[in-house]
Amino acid sequence: MTSNSFSSTSGLPPTELLPWLNAEGSLTAILEEKAGQPLRVKRSFEGYRSLTLGQKKQLGIQGMMLNRPMLAWIREVQLYGNDEMPWVQAQSIFPLNSLKGQSRRLQHLKNTPIGYVLFKRRRTLPNERFISHTSNGWQRQTRYDWNGRKIMISETFLPAFLSSHI
């Protein structure tokens, strides 16, 4: 089950970007098909951070838990297709309570695209998506239910992708 909502002061996204923002399943696989090669992942941050109030709300945390400090494993990367400029800037948020059992491997992705892990067994996952315009470009934030664990992945389509690839 998927639901999308738009939040923007810049109007609606360009029509040609809508299929990318609304794509179901692995964005990694779709981008690799477009590039004709595996994506290159460049990590800019990977480690523990406290969740902001906004991040907690997006993850579906409610009530008194919103006021409590919460740590998450955060991974920030740039995804490169078939040229020298990054196509997508991505952030993955894994609350500590979601990193149990087999899910611990999400802390050890290194330069592996997350789509390889999340969509290894299923083509789609239950999710809720929010689309907005940021200072870096159009972004989709998707809260996934992966094996009963909530994780948030934000993907921002950068100007290099928009100018030459859609």
Side-chain angles (χ1 to χ4, degrees):
M1 174 192 238
T2 301
S3 72
N4 292 343
S5 64
F6 286 92
S7 169
S8 172
T9 56
S10 301
L12 293 174
T15 305
E16 56 274 8
L17 187 57
L18 285 174
W20 298 94
L21 291 168
N22 292 313
E24 287 299 317
S26 173
L27 182 63
T28 299
I30 298 166
L31 288 171
E32 287 184 342
E33 185 177 319
K34 178 97 176 139
Q37 65 186 39
L39 292 181
R40 187 167 48 95
V41 177
K42 182 179 177 190
R43 290 177 288 165
S44 55
F45 178 82
E46 192 169 32
Y48 294 104
R49 280 194 191 145
S50 291
L51 291 174
T52 66
L53 179 61
Q55 289 168 329
K56 289 178 204 175
K57 287 180 179 178
Q58 287 176 318
L59 283 161
I61 297 166
Q62 300 175 346
M64 295 300 292
M65 293 302 292
L66 285 172
N67 299 323
R68 294 196 177 144
M70 295 183 88
L71 274 181
W73 183 260
I74 309 282
R75 179 176 183 245
E76 296 174 349
V77 301
Q78 289 80 43
L79 304 175
Y80 291 78
N82 55 10
D83 55 34
E84 295 305 310
M85 298 299 293
W87 286 5
V88 173
Q89 182 174 306
Q91 180 188 62
S92 303
I93 300 174
F94 311 112
L96 289 190
N97 65 359
S98 70
L99 293 171
K100 295 183 165 85
Q102 290 289 336
S103 299
R104 277 188 243 149
R105 65 184 159 182
L106 296 173
Q107 288 180 279
H108 307 285
L109 293 171
K110 300 191 188 298
N111 291 328
T112 301
I114 192 169
Y116 290 0
V117 176
L118 292 184
F119 298 98
K120 186 175 183 174
R121 291 196 171 95
R122 297 177 66 184
R123 291 184 58 123
T124 61
L125 294 170
N127 69 73
E128 186 174 4
R129 180 164 297 150
F130 308 91
I131 297 172
S132 60
H133 191 262
T134 71
S135 59
N136 291 330
W138 284 96
Q139 179 182 79
R140 63 186 226 162
Q141 293 181 298
T142 311
R143 180 177 66 203
Y144 290 102
D145 182 336
W146 186 64
N147 297 324
R149 306 203 184 333
K150 301 281 188 227
I151 60 174
M152 176 70 72
I153 299 177
S154 301
E155 296 146 325
T156 304
F157 292 88
L158 300 172
F161 180 78
L162 298 176
S163 64
S164 60
H165 296 287
I166 57 172

